[in-house]
Amino acid sequence: MTSPLERRYRRWAGAYPPGPRRQELIDTLLECAPPGRARPAPREVVNLLRHGLRARLGRPGGRAVVVLATLVALIGGLAGAAVAARVGWQWVPALPGGAQADALKRTVFPGMTAYGGGDAPLIVDSSDGENIRFGFADYWVEHTAATRDLDVFTAAARDRLLAAGWRLHGDVTATDSEPDAITPTRSTAFLASHDGLVLAFRNTVWSNRAAWDNDGAASFTLTRAAPAWLWALTVAGGLLGALGGWLLVGWASRRTAPRSAMAFAAGTLAWPVVLLVPLVVLILAMWSIQPDRPWSETLFVTLFRLVGPAGYAGIAALPSLAIAALSGPRLSGRTTAATLAVVLAGAAGVLWSHRGPASPPGPAECRPSGVPAELPADQTRLAMTVHVFIRQDTTPDQRNIVQAAIARVWGTSAFNFYYDPTAPEYGDAYCAGGRLADGAGVSLPYFWQVDISSPGVFSGLEAEVAGLPGVLGVRRGPATVS
């Protein structure tokens, strides 16, 4: 009957490649174990893992294979962490909405009419369009005499959040524009966190603004923070990926004879990929830096970006793996399945990174008679586009008034006016992404297509423009999920 100590030794000896060496080690360890020992000593476990993983690589005394295995393990670890993080974030709770969002508004902006809130997509484009960042919910109030006193109002908002259990990260910072700036700007800001959320407060005043424009706002954004279980999942994915990379190199190394033509060919194909990937990772990490944000956001944004390159790296490694597969004995069913899994994982990563935004399918063709009806809530909950419809007979002055109102809203990032029914945007506005029937748009209302920074901005935009002359309706566009 197998003793508990032997079972535990056998488990750790699994670090060695299959063969008689495993049983020899187990027999030796059992003979040397003192009477009464039930568990391997920590030093024995470390030695079994260290020497076993090295034995997996074959080529005793060879250093190049160790360097190669280390680099591939690093790449595999990053790929595993990227996939684990990307999957895990899908299960992170949504941003606050309803009563919870209203309570937060009352804490930061007591007695004021505050706009924004609600959930947001997981990842959105940054304000300059050059980067990506975690999706966020905008909250803001229009300036009053109280909010324009930046230092006092910001300090009071900070104190209210601290009293509500939020934790402050750093001190309140104040920023002033250059003295010769065309639009003098002053802002105060701080960062706080609580219960899986990160709140970035900013109070901004712009001077020398036109009478029809706003002069800033007191605002904050709310983003998700990675919960402890997501960190654990990401680390576990990284460790599994690193182990898989090391074992994959060991498998290929043991199947190719040293100094053979097959070994030379496999190495020639593998080394450029292995050396290029760390450079790509470094570039993506620098590109993903999130200024004035928690460092964890830079880490996870980098991992998000790595899903696609990791898939390409897996596909690029296939020629080397194919050479190794052809070099040794016929592969077992288990090995074939593992190799196929690597191929499919790489292809899935590439397809996932290039799948593009997805939106609910609209009708193939539509013939509307006026302002479209509101789309179902499940299609617009995370919408980042709004359409503002106006009568065709509005005057230029009326349109200018509406456009100025759109620009005043905190969180409107871009907008365009459309009056040509042949424009594809008419299909987005009237047919939920479908196609407008020929001749159907001649009498339809004109509209602005407005990009907003977060879905909750819709309420503020609607309140700003709904009652203006010529405005017929304000509608959310269908959400796209990336």
Side-chain angles (χ1 to χ4, degrees):
M1 182 176 178
T2 303
S3 66
L5 180 61
E6 182 177 351
R7 288 197 300 270
R8 293 183 175 114
Y9 274 137
R10 191 174 301 280
R11 184 184 307 137
W12 292 112
Y16 281 82
R21 178 64 173 157
R22 280 187 187 176
Q23 190 58 48
E24 293 175 4
L25 284 169
I26 295 170
D27 293 340
T28 302
L29 290 168
L30 289 172
E31 290 176 4
C32 296
R37 172 177 287 180
R39 298 178 181 276
R43 180 179 296 181
E44 291 175 330
V45 171
V46 171
N47 283 333
L48 284 171
L49 290 176
R50 182 165 66 91
H51 294 292
L53 290 176
R54 176 60 185 89
R56 286 269 178 179
L57 302 180
R59 290 174 167 76
R63 295 181 179 179
V65 70
V66 177
V67 174
L68 179 63
T70 302
L71 291 174
V72 173
L74 176 61
I75 295 169
L78 290 171
V83 173
R86 187 68 178 86
V87 173
W89 271 107
Q90 305 298 323
W91 301 97
V92 174
L95 291 171
Q100 191 177 359
D102 291 340
L104 188 55
K105 291 177 183 177
R106 290 192 296 269
T107 298
V108 183
F109 306 123
M112 302 178 182
T113 300
Y115 300 101
D119 201 6
L122 182 57
I123 292 291
V124 297
D125 291 330
S126 59
S127 57
D128 58 8
E130 297 295 327
N131 204 342
I132 59 174
R133 59 166 295 181
F134 279 114
F136 58 91
D138 263 314
Y139 292 73
W140 79 96
V141 294
E142 297 175 351
H143 268 319
T144 65
T147 60
R148 289 188 182 95
D149 191 345
L150 299 186
D151 295 326
V152 173
F153 187 84
T154 301
R158 174 203 60 193
D159 293 343
R160 288 191 292 272
L161 286 169
L162 289 174
W166 289 74
R167 184 164 64 94
L168 194 67
H169 298 271
D171 298 324
V172 173
T173 60
T175 305
D176 292 275
S177 60
E178 296 294 331
D180 57 349
I182 297 176
T183 303
T185 304
R186 186 167 191 272
S187 64
T188 51
F190 64 82
L191 198 67
S193 65
H194 175 63
D195 196 22
L197 299 171
V198 177
L199 184 151
F201 180 92
R202 182 171 294 274
N203 196 358
T204 302
V205 171
W206 296 313
S207 304
N208 297 340
R209 301 282 281 188
W212 62 82
D213 210 342
N214 68 34
D215 61 346
S219 67
F220 66 87
T221 61
L222 205 63
T223 56
R224 304 167 179 86
W229 64 262
L230 181 57
W231 283 101
L233 179 64
T234 303
V235 171
L239 292 175
L240 287 174
L243 178 61
W246 185 280
L247 295 179
L248 193 63
V249 172
W251 170 80
S253 174
R254 296 196 313 275
R255 288 186 65 85
T256 52
R259 299 183 180 85
S260 66
M262 287 294 199
F264 177 79
T268 301
L269 292 172
W271 276 104
V273 177
V274 170
L275 295 176
L276 179 62
V277 170
L279 178 61
V280 172
V281 172
L282 178 61
I283 293 173
L284 289 179
M286 295 177 64
W287 194 14
S288 302
I289 291 175
Q290 309 288 302
D292 303 321
R293 302 294 303 172
W295 65 269
S296 59
E297 292 191 10
T298 295
L299 171 65
F300 280 109
V301 168
T302 302
L303 291 176
F304 269 66
R305 289 188 183 275
L306 281 178
V307 173
Y312 280 117
I315 292 176
L318 291 181
S320 296
L321 296 177
I323 292 173
L326 296 172
S327 299
R330 183 178 178 180
L331 295 176
S332 66
R334 182 183 299 178
T335 304
T336 302
T339 305
L340 182 60
V342 172
V343 175
L344 294 177
V350 172
L351 292 174
W352 193 1
S353 65
H354 291 285
R355 70 194 186 283
S359 58
E365 185 177 271
C366 74
R367 188 177 292 274
S369 59
V371 175
E374 287 278 7
L375 293 172
D378 62 334
Q379 294 185 23
T380 61
R381 185 177 65 86
L382 300 180
M384 303 285 282
T385 302
V386 178
H387 297 105
V388 179
F389 297 91
I390 62 167
R391 295 196 311 267
Q392 286 195 5
D393 60 355
T394 52
T395 66
D397 285 343
Q398 289 174 329
R399 294 176 195 172
N400 288 337
I401 291 172
V402 176
Q403 184 157 302
I406 294 172
R408 277 197 301 272
V409 176
W410 192 262
T412 54
S413 54
F415 52 89
N416 290 288
F417 183 67
Y418 293 97
Y419 59 90
D420 180 5
T422 63
E425 286 76 12
Y426 262 70
D428 295 335
Y430 285 99
C431 304
R435 190 177 70 85
L436 197 64
D438 294 339
V442 175
S443 60
L444 291 177
Y446 301 151
F447 63 92
W448 281 272
Q449 182 169 290
V450 185
D451 295 333
I452 55 178
S453 59
S454 68
V457 172
F458 174 83
S459 62
L461 176 59
E462 185 179 40
E464 189 73 29
V465 305
L468 295 178
V471 174
L472 297 173
V474 184
R475 299 287 187 267
R476 296 178 176 90
T480 57
V481 181
S482 54

